[in-house]
């Protein structure tokens, strides 16, 4: 939003309002009074708008039922679950590893023995043994020189100086070899889980307390009937609330954080996009349009009355973007980074896009270092964002440089009315240090304090992340892409239908560089600032070999603003019969710009409605497909397992409240304990290892790779007592069979076994020999399409070992096309 003039000695010019009959085209350098920004939206209007956006994002979160990437669970939900349920307050460093020898998973238990899992990103620590060796060697050297060599004694001050230096170096080394993930991004989820834990504890105890109090009341004959009735009514309400909470506990733990992020992360990001464009359109109570002259020549600039369509279309771009709807509301660290950046740009809009500071006398610029509280808060958010992902500095550092440079550009008005451009280097340094660096470091310090509380020791996760991904280059272990991948694949996919508008805006910026110093410099300066944030961010991420679409998520809000800039010109300033606009044609005899009437003011025109419909049609179909169909198996399989376990426990089929689940799939293919929470039921889970230690080793094979390469051999080696290939001759001497302790092998089997369909076809015969039965199949993703065959349309995978097949019926559309799905198979004892 626009800000009021900061100079109290200057008052707005008379007659300036949101709508005026005429405007004078003048050079901003010749204005002796700054214009005030008309605030058309009150706080109440913004609250209503935020509620509308939050409602839309809640519906978006409810629609989302698929998995995009395992990091949305293992970088937020699982560590938050450990922090809230696993150890009451925080994980302990001396925990034992999980069953099955999974090196990158650690288990923690609270008083209720509820297990949880953390990946290597959270458990990575510096070797204490090397620390002790280093300290002992240094202390021995120091004390040896001090006591044994009288000619080279070290003063106490010098010793203390060396000690401080060693401590600093050791701290940096511990930080770089320490955890790579910060708890800052999971704080909202952690607080939500604490609330859920409190509700679960209350619900678990309320039933006993209610019945105890009811028995006490019935023993007193003096209690009136009305009091007994009221007590029974309260008991029934509490009992119903308890049953509702316990019945939906699994859904609250698994889905609740997504709803929370839709309100606390996605909705503020959308609102920030609106506010950024709103500030741009209200820089001087002017709005702009870049239109072609009647001769079809180069683009020219003309000033018109204020129109609020730029914020509207910016919000439309953000809310209809398929990638925002698919990724922004997920519990990613990237989503938190995007929210911090969007809110930060909105808070810094006056510094980034506002007019240069005006002074009455040359050389009297304000260099006191006073800055708006909103600007200070923005850079605190920037520091927290750097704690979450250090790559966010690629956006915050250019922003700080741009703000510092702009702060040093003063326009001084002399006594004769002429203006002089000045550049104050002192003010540039003051802004860079006192605003950008100081409050950015404050945000980093706050993040480090949060991690100190969560980890139990001082940690700087962004240094660990930098060491692991940049210095060691281990990011390439999880996939590599070419340097220009973001240019020809990442940005086009993330932008979607906004790509043509973004490219047109970029073309306008570089088509006529001379415009930067003309009367439309404000237009191009806005483009330069926004592209000045986007381009360095994309270039820095291009140097990393590991690239993902979601890494571009923080840039999407700025892309929405740039795309909406062109949409406004398309649907408002280029309506039939209005465009092209000639500046001279709208001037009167006094050189004032006439008011341009527009009957469509305040409502969408036909072209606007058409563009709005196009945006929906180009974004929503694949958003619905990706959000509800593609890769839905990991979420659905855990939901199915929890329902089966709850039913068995209620019917006392298993005779125990402890259940075990083994996931024989790619590592981290499914969320774990955050989606398996059942009150009064203990669940232990195990999945295949794929930690960086085995990925980077040429001599070691990860469990996930070993299983995918040879499913049958891996299962035999894992669950059988004899190694693979050991046979004993049978009595007839003609055959060979496995001779192992079958009962001992069964004792190692889990309650449930989860396998992908391809691997299940290979090991199904062995699993059935163990006595496990096929429990169910969950659709995961579309594997193929075929023409409909009414006689034989089953899709089967046949085992090479014994010829057994796993078949599933496809979904047929219009009796023409068969859609075949890849399934996840579930087996149970």
């Amino acid at each position: 939003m626009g800000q009021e003039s900061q100079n109290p000695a200057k008052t707005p010019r008379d007659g300036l309002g949101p709508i005026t009959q005429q405007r004078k085209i003048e050079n901003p350098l010749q204005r002796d009074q700054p214009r005030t920004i008309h605030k058309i939206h009150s706080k109440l209007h913004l609250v209503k708008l935020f509620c509308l956006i939050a409602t839309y994002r809640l519906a978006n979160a409810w629609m989302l039922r698929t998995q995009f990437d395992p990091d949305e669970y293992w970088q937020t939900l699982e560590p938050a679950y450990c922090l809230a349920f696993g150890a009451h307050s925080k994980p302990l460093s001396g925990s034992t590893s999980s069953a099955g020898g999974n090196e990158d998973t650690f288990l923690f238990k609270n008083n209720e023995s509820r297990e949880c899992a953390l990946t290597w990103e959270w458990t990575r620590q510096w070797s204490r043994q090397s620390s002790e060796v280093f300290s002992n060697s240094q202390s021995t050297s120091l004390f040896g020189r001090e006591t044994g060599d009288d000619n080279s004694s070290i003063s106490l001050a010098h010793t203390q100086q060396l000690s401080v230096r060693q401590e600093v170096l050791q701290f940096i080394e511990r930080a770089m070899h320490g955890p790579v993930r910060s708890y800052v991004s999971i704080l909202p989820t952690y607080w939500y889980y604490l609330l859920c834990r409190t509700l679960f504890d209350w619900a678990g105890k309320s039933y006993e307390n209610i019945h105890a109090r009811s028995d006490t009341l019935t023993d007193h004959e003096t209690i009136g009937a009305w009091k007994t009735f009221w007590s029974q009514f309260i008991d029934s309400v509490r009992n119903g609330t308890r049953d509702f909470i316990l019945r939906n506990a699994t859904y609250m733990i698994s889905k609740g954080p997504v709803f929370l992020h839709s309100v606390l992360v996605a909705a503020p990001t959308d609102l920030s996009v609106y506010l950024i464009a709103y500030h741009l359109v209200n820089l001087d109570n002017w709005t702009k349009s870049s239109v072609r002259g009647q001769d079809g020549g180069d683009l020219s600039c003309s000033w018109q009355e204020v129109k609020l369509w730029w914020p509207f279309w910016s919000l439309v771009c953000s809310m209809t973007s398929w990638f925002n709807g698919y990724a922004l509301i997920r519990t990613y660290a990237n989503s938190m980074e995007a929210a911090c950046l969007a809110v930060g740009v909105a808070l810094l809009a006056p510094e980034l896009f506002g007019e240069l500071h005006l002074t009455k006398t040359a050389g009297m610029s304000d260099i006191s270092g006073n800055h708006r509280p909103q600007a200070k808060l923005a850079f605190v958010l920037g520091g927290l964002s750097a704690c979450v992902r250090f790559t966010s500095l690629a956006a915050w550092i250019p922003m700080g440089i741009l703000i510092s440079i702009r702060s040093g550009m003063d326009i001084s008005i002399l006594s004769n009315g002429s203006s002089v451009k000045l550049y104050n280097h002192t003010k540039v340094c003051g802004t860079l240090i006192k605003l950008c660096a100081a409050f950015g470091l404050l945000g980093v310090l706050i993040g480090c304090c949060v991690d100190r509380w969560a980890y139990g020791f001082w940690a700087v996760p962004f240094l660990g992340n930098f060491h692991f991904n940049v210095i060691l280059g281990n990011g390439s272990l999880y996939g590599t892409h070419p340097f220009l991948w973001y240019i020809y694949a990442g940005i086009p996919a993330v932008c979607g239908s906004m790509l043509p508008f973004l490219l047109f805006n970029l073309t306008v910026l570089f088509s006529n560089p001379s415009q930067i110093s003309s009367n439309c410099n404000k237009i191009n300066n806005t483009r330069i600032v926004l592209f000045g944030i986007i381009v360095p961010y994309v270039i820095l991420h291009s140097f990393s070999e590991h690239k993902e679409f979601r890494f571009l998520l923080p840039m999407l809000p700025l892309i929405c603003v740039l795309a909406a800039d062109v949409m406004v010109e398309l649907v408002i300033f280029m309506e039939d019969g209005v465009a092209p606009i000639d500046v001279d044609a709208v001037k009167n005899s006094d050189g004032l710009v006439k008011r341009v009437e527009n009957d469509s003011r305040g409502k969408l025109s036909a072209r606007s409605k058409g563009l709005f419909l196009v945006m929906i049609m180009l974004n929503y179909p694949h958003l619905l497909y990706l959000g509800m169909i593609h890769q839905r198996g990991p979420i659905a399989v855990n939901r199915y397992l929890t329902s089966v376990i709850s039913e068995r426990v209620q019917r006392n089929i298993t005779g125990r409240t402890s259940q075990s689940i083994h996931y024989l799939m790619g590592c981290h293919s499914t969320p774990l304990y955050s989606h398996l929470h059942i009150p009064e039921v203990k669940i232990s889970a195990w999945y295949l290892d794929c930690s960086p230690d085995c990925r980077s080793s040429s001599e070691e094979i990860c469990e996930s790779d070993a299983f995918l390469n040879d499913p049958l051999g891996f299962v035999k080696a894992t669950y059988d007592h004899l190694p693979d290939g050991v046979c004993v001759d049978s009595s007839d001497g003609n055959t060979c069979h496995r001779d192992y302790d079958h009962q001992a092998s069964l004792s190692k089997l889990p309650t449930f076994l989860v396998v992908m369909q391809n691997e299940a076809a290979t090991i199904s015969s062995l699993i059935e020999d163990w006595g496990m039965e096929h429990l169910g199949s969950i659709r995961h993703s579309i594997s193929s399409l075929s023409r409909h065959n009414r006689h034989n349309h089953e899709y089967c995978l046949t085992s090479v070992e014994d010829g057994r097949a796993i078949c599933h019926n496809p979904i047929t559309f219009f009796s023409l096309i068969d859609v075949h799905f890849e399934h996840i198979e579930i087996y149970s004892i």
Side-chain angles (χ1 to χ4, degrees):
M1 291 177 54
Q3 302 294 327
E4 298 291 346
S5 175
Q6 297 181 357
N7 193 343
K10 298 179 177 134
T11 57
R13 293 189 303 175
D14 296 336
L16 286 179
I19 302 177
T20 57
Q21 295 295 331
Q22 52 190 10
R23 300 269 188 198
K24 183 177 180 180
I25 298 181
E26 55 184 355
N27 190 337
L29 299 178
Q30 298 178 354
R31 293 198 296 265
D32 56 349
Q33 302 285 351
R35 306 176 193 272
T36 58
I37 300 173
H38 181 65
K39 297 182 178 180
I40 63 168
H41 286 296
S42 64
K43 293 182 179 180
L44 180 60
H45 291 156
L46 291 179
V47 170
K48 292 180 179 179
L49 180 61
F50 178 81
C51 293
L52 178 63
I53 297 173
T55 302
Y56 171 80
R57 287 303 179 192
L58 286 173
N60 186 185
W62 175 84
M63 178 271 300
L64 201 66
R65 303 176 186 182
T66 59
Q67 174 180 284
F68 180 21
D69 189 270
D71 284 350
E72 61 183 294
Y73 311 112
W74 292 96
Q75 291 183 3
T76 302
L77 297 190
E78 298 301 332
Y81 187 86
C82 279
L83 204 60
F85 292 94
H88 281 299
S89 60
K90 57 185 178 181
L92 304 176
S93 57
S95 303
T96 58
S97 62
S98 67
N102 208 9
E103 294 181 359
D104 63 339
T105 304
F106 286 75
L107 300 182
F108 305 93
K109 298 184 179 181
N110 58 7
N111 294 338
E112 299 178 354
S113 299
R114 188 169 292 277
E115 297 181 351
C116 66
L118 291 177
T119 60
W120 63 270
E121 296 173 306
W122 305 87
T123 59
R124 184 174 182 257
Q125 290 189 27
W126 185 49
S127 174
R128 296 184 180 273
Q129 182 177 1
S130 61
S131 173
E132 294 175 359
V133 172
F134 177 80
S135 300
N136 292 335
S137 62
Q138 293 295 331
S139 61
T140 301
S141 175
L142 288 175
F143 286 105
R145 292 179 59 188
E146 184 177 0
T147 58
D149 191 355
D150 296 335
N151 296 328
S152 59
S153 59
I154 302 176
S155 63
L156 179 61
H158 186 55
T159 303
Q160 292 177 349
Q161 182 180 3
L162 291 178
S163 178
V164 171
R165 181 181 178 183
Q166 292 170 9
E167 290 295 334
V168 172
L169 293 177
Q170 286 185 9
F171 176 78
I172 295 177
E173 185 177 2
R174 285 194 298 266
M176 297 187 71
H177 290 82
V180 301
R181 295 299 172 191
S182 174
Y183 278 92
V184 172
S185 61
I186 73 169
L187 283 180
T189 305
Y190 167 67
W191 291 330
Y192 170 76
Y193 278 169
L194 284 183
L195 176 61
C196 290
R197 191 182 71 179
T198 303
L199 290 176
F200 298 158
D201 293 342
W202 171 82
K205 298 177 181 178
S206 61
Y207 184 80
E208 298 178 358
N209 295 335
I210 289 173
H211 281 271
R213 187 168 59 254
S214 299
D215 296 339
T216 303
L217 290 175
T218 56
D219 292 340
H220 294 80
E221 298 178 357
T222 57
I223 297 178
W226 66 271
K227 194 171 183 178
T228 303
F229 172 78
W230 179 252
S231 176
Q232 292 177 352
F233 174 76
I234 295 298
D235 291 346
S236 63
V237 171
R238 290 180 178 177
N239 205 15
T241 304
R242 165 197 172 273
D243 293 338
F244 177 82
I245 292 175
L246 296 181
R247 191 184 313 114
N248 296 278
T250 305
Y251 188 81
M252 292 171 62
I253 295 296
S254 61
K255 193 69 174 181
V258 182
F259 290 116
L260 184 69
H261 268 242
S262 66
V263 176
L264 299 183
V265 176
T269 303
D270 293 329
L271 184 62
S272 297
V273 171
Y274 177 87
L275 293 178
I276 293 170
Y278 176 69
H279 181 85
L280 292 175
V281 84
N282 285 278
L283 283 178
D284 257 83
N285 274 349
W286 299 101
T287 190
K288 56 86 186 174
S289 64
S290 300
V291 297
R292 293 189 178 276
Q294 292 183 354
D295 58 352
D298 295 335
L299 291 173
S300 61
C301 292
S302 62
W303 302 98
Q304 293 188 358
E305 63 176 346
V306 173
K307 297 182 184 297
L308 301 178
W309 294 110
W310 194 359
F312 169 78
W313 283 107
S314 298
L315 185 60
V316 168
C317 289
S318 182
M319 296 182 67
T320 59
S321 170
W322 77 269
F323 198 70
N324 271 346
Y326 185 56
L328 182 61
I329 64 173
R330 296 181 185 269
T331 53
Y332 281 125
N334 307 92
S335 301
M336 189 68 68
E337 178 189 0
C340 289
L341 182 63
V343 173
V345 174
L347 294 175
L348 292 170
E351 285 79 6
L352 285 171
F353 312 109
E355 282 191 348
L356 302 179
H357 185 68
L358 301 178
T359 57
K360 274 292 184 181
T361 305
M364 297 297 294
S365 300
D366 182 15
I367 59 174
S368 60
N370 294 327
H371 302 285
R372 298 183 308 116
Q374 294 90 333
K376 300 175 182 179
L377 176 60
F379 281 99
V380 172
L381 292 177
L384 293 174
S385 179
C387 292
V388 176
R389 287 182 57 84
F390 77 94
T391 52
S392 64
L393 293 175
W396 286 97
I397 290 179
M399 285 173 56
I401 294 175
L402 288 171
I403 291 175
S404 300
I405 293 176
R406 288 175 57 84
S407 67
M409 295 180 180
D410 291 339
I411 303 175
S412 297
I413 307 300
L414 302 180
S415 57
N416 58 3
S418 60
S419 61
V420 177
K421 294 182 180 180
L422 301 175
Y423 195 82
N424 195 317
H425 296 277
T426 305
K427 196 171 183 180
V428 172
C429 296
T431 302
L432 188 63
I433 297 175
K434 295 181 180 180
L435 175 63
C436 306
F439 288 94
L441 290 177
L442 178 60
V444 172
L445 180 60
I446 294 174
C448 290
C449 292
V450 171
D451 291 321
R452 171 64 179 86
W453 164 80
Y455 281 111
F457 56 89
W458 285 106
V460 188
F462 67 86
L463 288 181
N465 200 328
F466 177 81
H467 178 264
F468 180 84
N469 289 286
V470 178
I471 297 180
L472 299 180
N474 287 336
S476 59
L477 297 175
Y478 298 90
T480 59
H481 294 86
F483 181 83
L484 298 178
W485 184 82
Y486 282 129
I487 304 299
Y488 64 80
I491 293 179
V494 169
C495 293
S497 59
M498 295 184 291
L499 182 62
F501 304 104
L502 178 66
L503 295 178
F504 180 82
N505 210 329
L506 185 63
T507 304
V508 170
L509 178 62
F510 292 101
S511 60
N512 191 359
S514 61
Q515 289 183 357
I516 297 179
S517 59
S518 65
N519 63 340
C520 62
N521 59 347
K522 191 177 304 182
I523 307 169
N524 286 291
N525 285 341
T526 297
R527 297 188 179 111
I528 290 174
V529 171
L530 293 177
F531 280 113
I533 300 173
I534 296 174
V535 173
Y537 190 91
V538 175
I539 292 177
L540 179 67
H541 281 71
S542 297
F543 283 100
S544 174
E545 293 184 359
H546 178 61
K547 300 177 177 65
E548 295 186 34
F549 292 111
R550 59 188 173 95
F551 292 166
L552 295 176
L553 189 59
M555 294 297 102
L556 197 54
L558 305 184
I559 292 175
C560 292
V561 176
L562 288 169
D565 180 22
V566 180
M567 291 182 180
V568 172
E569 299 174 357
L570 178 64
V571 301
I572 299 298
F573 300 113
M574 293 185 178
E575 291 287 346
D576 295 337
V578 176
I581 298 176
D582 187 3
V583 178
D584 297 330
V586 295
K587 288 183 180 179
N588 57 18
S589 58
D590 297 331
L592 301 178
V593 179
K594 301 177 183 178
R595 179 183 179 185
V596 181
E597 299 291 345
N598 189 354
D599 295 336
S600 63
R601 179 185 178 90
K603 60 181 180 180
L604 291 177
S605 63
R607 183 171 296 185
S608 300
K609 295 177 181 179
L611 181 59
F612 185 78
L613 182 61
V614 168
M615 293 291 292
I616 292 179
M617 295 300 296
L618 292 180
N619 285 280
Y620 279 29
H622 46 283
L623 173 60
L624 293 175
Y625 167 73
L626 293 173
M628 303 186 71
I629 299 176
H630 183 65
Q631 293 184 354
R632 64 182 299 271
I635 309 299
V637 70
N638 281 342
R639 187 174 301 176
Y640 179 79
L641 287 173
T642 53
S643 63
V644 171
I645 293 174
S646 299
E647 182 180 0
R648 289 187 175 185
V649 171
Q650 290 178 359
R651 295 182 180 182
N652 198 22
I653 296 177
T654 60
R656 56 180 179 175
T657 59
S658 178
Q659 308 287 321
S660 60
I661 306 173
H662 287 190
Y663 296 88
L664 298 184
M665 306 164 64
C667 69
H668 304 145
S669 295
T670 65
L672 215 62
Y673 294 102
S674 62
H675 283 60
L676 296 174
H677 183 94
I678 304 176
E680 301 179 357
V681 178
K682 300 176 184 179
I683 297 178
S684 62
W686 175 69
Y687 60 94
L688 303 179
D689 175 37
C690 64
S691 59
D693 293 338
C694 65
R695 283 176 178 260
S696 59
S697 176
S698 58
E699 300 178 356
E700 185 179 358
I701 300 179
C702 294
E703 292 177 349
S704 58
D705 295 333
F707 174 73
L708 295 177
N709 294 334
D710 185 11
L712 188 60
F714 180 87
V715 170
K716 290 179 179 179
T718 302
Y719 296 102
D720 289 356
H721 278 240
L722 288 179
D724 189 24
V726 177
C727 297
V728 178
D729 292 336
S730 59
S731 57
D732 57 10
N734 297 324
T735 61
C736 184
H737 68 277
R738 293 292 300 247
D739 187 10
Y740 59 88
D741 189 349
H742 190 66
Q743 295 298 328
S745 178
L746 289 179
S747 63
K748 297 174 56 178
L749 293 178
T751 312
F752 300 94
L753 197 63
V754 182
V755 192
M756 294 298 297
Q757 181 180 357
N758 292 341
E759 290 73 31
T762 304
I763 65 175
S764 59
S765 58
L766 181 60
I767 295 177
E768 293 177 0
D769 292 342
W770 291 339
M772 300 189 74
E773 61 179 7
H774 185 263
L775 187 62
S777 300
I778 303 296
R779 292 192 183 99
H780 177 51
S781 59
I782 295 178
S783 60
S784 62
L785 301 175
S786 65
R787 297 182 61 180
H788 177 62
N789 185 350
R790 66 178 63 183
H791 301 291
N792 183 17
H793 60 279
E794 285 188 341
Y795 179 72
C796 302
L797 290 176
T798 305
S799 173
V800 180
E801 299 290 335
D802 55 7
R804 296 188 182 183
I806 298 179
C807 301
H808 297 285
N809 293 325
I811 297 179
T812 303
F813 287 97
F814 309 108
S815 299
L816 297 175
I817 301 176
D818 289 338
V819 181
H820 304 279
F821 281 85
E822 182 183 11
H823 287 72
I824 298 177
E825 310 297 337
I826 305 175
Y827 296 87
S828 174
I829 295 179

